[in-house]
Amino acid sequence: MSSYQNTPELLQGTLDVMILSVLKNGPLHGYAIARQIERASGGELSIEEGSLYPALHRLSKRGDLDADWGETDTGRRARFYTLSRQGQKRLVEQTSLWQRVSTAVNSVLAAGPSSAAQEGSR
Amino acid sequence: MLDHFRTRLSRVDERPVDQIDRDIEDELAAHLEQLQADLIESGLPPAAAQAQALSRFGDPRKHKRRCRDVALMERRMKTYTQIIVTAGCGLLVAAVTTSLWFNQQSANAAIGDMSTKMADLANAVGSRTGMPAAGGVSPQTAAVYVTGDVPNPGQFAMPAGGVSLRRMLAAAGVNEWEVNSVVVSRKGAGGTGAPTRIAVPGLYLREDESKDVALQADDLLTVVKNEDASNVIARTHKPAHIRGPRVGEVLFVNGDVPNPGQYAIPTNGISLRRMLAVAGVNESDINHVMVDRTASGGSGKLVVAGTDLREGKEDLVLENNDLVMVVKNEKTRKSADGGPPAVIDPVEAVEAVAPSALPRR
């Protein structure tokens, strides 16, 4: 199902921004958030689903998310998370940051080993 | 930093801990059940679906513990803060209390040291001026007697280097500015010669130091204040009879006396006025004095009026076993003469008297 199992290094910063991102379209409970991330990444990113919850609780306590108990489509009791105004602002900031880092990393990767060898031969 | 700390404390989850635990468990269980149901729906057998669901979810206990830590973090922080603040306050109180205790100890030590120094100073002053160390009776052999209008009448030790009249008056608490006159009654040479009297006007004491008088042992000073100005100085003083050395003889003083009790008779004898001074009697307060000589087989009772004593008309040499009864002005002559004495029994007085009250020879 997943080709890349998350690690703490991956989760550091990226899980929070992914959660904020999938919630920008409306309230979701934890299971739905996990499915959204899985779908959006094309199955390439799959997190240990239980680790979503400490992150959700941390973001709620920080004020980025609002949480309320409700019922799922199947009638099951679940906690629904909504992006707060503060969370929306943080999502913009984190997205911008991630794009800058991603671009920088892509640039490094695009340089490739041949460029590094040319630099070393000078 | 402080704002961040305040913000964190404001996020304390106020739910009861068991409620927090139930909410976490419900949320995690709902996820696992939903995942398992979807896997079964996708065609997996229930057992395989359960196993795969657990594999993808991870250890539920670990996730519950981490959620619990997030929920209770601020609460623990608040508790630790309260403990630290309480401990800090306790330490502060202990430090302040300890500091105050040490300060008190230092103050006590300083007061004790000061008291010792003052006692030393008082002894030094007493040795120079003849001021009694305590009780008005000094262990010195030589003494000066002060009576009349004196705050502290009594017997004062004669310092080895001698003492002047002005210093002795100061020792007896006399304010020079209130003195009309002082009469110094002095025994004759060798205790047998003709006595002399030296009248010193208060004006001389205050304004002419050269008029000061060097006192001698056994001098009797009679102080008259301005408001009681009388002709004490001009009156003839009837001298007390002085006889030879007397050893082991005692007399008793009782009645309206600051220091009643048994007194040893000095080797060269003692007059009534001097004895009254020794016992702390202020002559100006005396109505009369009765000297009872019946215990020694003597001539019975002799009554001396206070006015005669004050004016120097009457004085007498006291004898062994004499009982001196003093009656102050407010007392009636009857209670001292005929009626029962309004004072304690002399025998009891002898038993009650402290050894320190006995004049030293």
Side-chain angles (χ1 to χ4, degrees):
Chain A
M1 190 172 191
S2 62
S3 58
Y4 187 92
Q5 191 68 28
N6 62 294
T7 64
E9 288 77 14
L10 172 69
L11 285 175
Q12 193 70 41
T14 60
L15 181 57
D16 285 2
V17 74
M18 285 192 290
I19 289 172
L20 295 174
S21 181
V22 299
L23 285 173
K24 67 185 174 188
N25 294 324
L28 291 172
H29 51 74
Y31 183 75
I33 293 171
R35 298 285 74 79
Q36 284 273 15
I37 292 174
E38 187 181 25
R39 262 197 303 276
S41 67
E44 289 299 317
L45 288 178
S46 179
I47 57 174
E48 188 178 78
E49 297 182 17
S51 63
L52 261 180
Y53 291 93
L56 286 169
H57 291 185
R58 190 178 61 253
L59 290 169
S60 298
K61 184 159 274 189
R62 203 164 66 186
D64 292 341
L65 302 179
D66 295 325
D68 286 303
W69 287 96
E71 277 194 2
T72 65
D73 297 338
T74 57
R76 195 180 299 276
R77 183 171 177 264
R79 206 173 184 195
F80 286 79
Y81 295 90
T82 310
L83 200 60
S84 68
R85 188 173 295 276
Q86 179 183 307
Q88 291 171 359
K89 189 178 172 186
R90 192 182 299 274
L91 174 61
V92 172
E93 293 169 357
Q94 293 295 312
T95 302
S96 169
L97 177 64
W98 176 255
Q99 285 171 345
R100 290 206 309 274
V101 170
S102 175
T103 303
V105 172
N106 285 335
S107 299
V108 171
L109 294 176
S114 57
S115 301
Q118 286 173 3
E119 285 292 321
S121 64
R122 285 183 185 175
Chain B
M1 175 72 181
L2 196 59
D3 288 343
H4 174 71
F5 190 70
R6 284 198 190 118
T7 306
R8 292 293 298 270
L9 288 183
S10 70
R11 291 182 192 153
V12 173
D13 193 332
E14 299 294 349
R15 290 177 296 168
V17 175
D18 55 349
Q19 177 69 43
I20 291 172
D21 286 341
R22 274 199 305 275
D23 286 348
I24 295 171
E25 286 165 5
D26 287 352
E27 193 173 21
L28 299 184
H31 187 116
L32 263 175
E33 286 171 16
Q34 184 70 48
L35 180 57
Q36 190 175 342
D38 283 355
L39 290 170
I40 290 172
E41 194 176 334
S42 68
L44 280 178
Q50 184 180 17
Q52 189 169 348
L54 271 176
S55 169
R56 289 171 54 178
F57 189 81
D59 184 359
R61 290 171 301 179
K62 179 185 76 176
H63 298 311
K64 179 189 172 187
R65 192 169 56 247
R66 289 174 61 195
C67 290
R68 204 169 183 269
D69 288 344
V70 171
L72 297 178
M73 183 177 291
E74 283 78 16
R75 185 178 299 196
R76 288 173 182 153
M77 188 185 295
K78 187 177 179 181
T79 304
Y80 295 151
T81 304
Q82 287 171 340
I83 290 172
I84 290 169
V85 169
T86 305
C89 288
L91 285 173
L92 186 64
V93 169
V96 170
T97 306
T98 306
S99 173
L100 289 174
W101 185 81
F102 274 114
N103 285 345
Q104 184 66 42
Q105 294 299 311
S106 301
N108 288 344
I111 290 170
D113 189 39
M114 192 180 297
S115 298
T116 305
K117 287 178 178 173
M118 287 179 70
D120 292 344
L121 184 61
N123 288 337
V125 170
S127 67
R128 290 187 181 192
T129 64
M131 189 181 294
V137 177
S138 166
Q140 300 288 332
T141 301
V144 175
Y145 307 89
V146 184
T147 185
D149 297 325
V150 185
N152 305 310
Q155 171 185 330
F156 292 79
M158 169 70 81
V163 64
S164 72
L165 173 60
R166 294 183 72 200
R167 280 185 168 72
M168 181 51 67
L169 292 176
V174 177
N175 183 343
E176 275 188 358
W177 291 96
E178 296 176 357
V179 174
N180 179 281
S181 62
V182 180
V183 177
V184 181
S185 302
R186 181 167 295 168
K187 293 178 180 177
T192 55
T196 57
R197 292 192 318 110
I198 306 165
V200 183
L203 188 66
Y204 286 3
L205 287 171
R206 291 187 287 273
E207 297 184 3
D208 189 350
E209 288 185 7
S210 66
K211 302 292 185 184
D212 204 351
V213 177
L215 297 180
Q216 296 179 5
D218 268 337
D219 275 353
L220 170 64
L221 313 182
T222 304
V223 180
V224 180
K225 291 171 74 174
N226 283 321
E227 58 267 34
D228 291 330
S230 63
N231 56 354
V232 170
I233 303 166
R235 291 186 181 276
T236 302
H237 174 62
K238 192 179 289 181
H241 173 69
I242 305 299
R243 49 179 250 190
R246 303 149 61 137
V247 179
E249 295 182 357
V250 295
L251 57 83
F252 308 91
V253 181
N254 212 331
D256 297 323
V257 184
N259 304 310
Q262 172 185 319
Y263 289 82
I265 298 177
T267 52
N268 57 351
I270 189 166
S271 70
L272 175 59
R273 292 183 74 196
R274 283 179 171 78
M275 189 65 244
L276 293 174
V278 169
V281 179
N282 189 337
E283 276 189 354
S284 60
D285 293 336
I286 296 175
N287 180 283
H288 65 271
V289 178
M290 182 192 72
V291 180
D292 187 346
R293 199 158 279 175
T294 53
S296 57
S299 54
K301 297 175 182 175
L302 173 65
V303 177
V304 181
T307 50
D308 289 344
L309 281 172
R310 286 190 285 276
E311 294 174 6
K313 290 180 180 175
E314 190 69 53
D315 200 353
L316 66 150
V317 174
L318 296 175
E319 297 286 349
N320 187 28
N321 277 328
D322 274 354
L323 169 60
V324 179
M325 299 290 292
V326 179
V327 180
K328 291 172 77 174
N329 283 322
E330 59 267 34
K331 299 285 183 183
T332 63
R333 178 174 291 275
K334 184 181 176 185
S335 69
D337 265 347
V343 293
I344 58 176
D345 186 86
V347 176
E348 290 177 2
V350 171
E351 291 172 353
V353 70
S356 62
L358 297 176
R360 307 296 197 276
R361 289 174 183 270

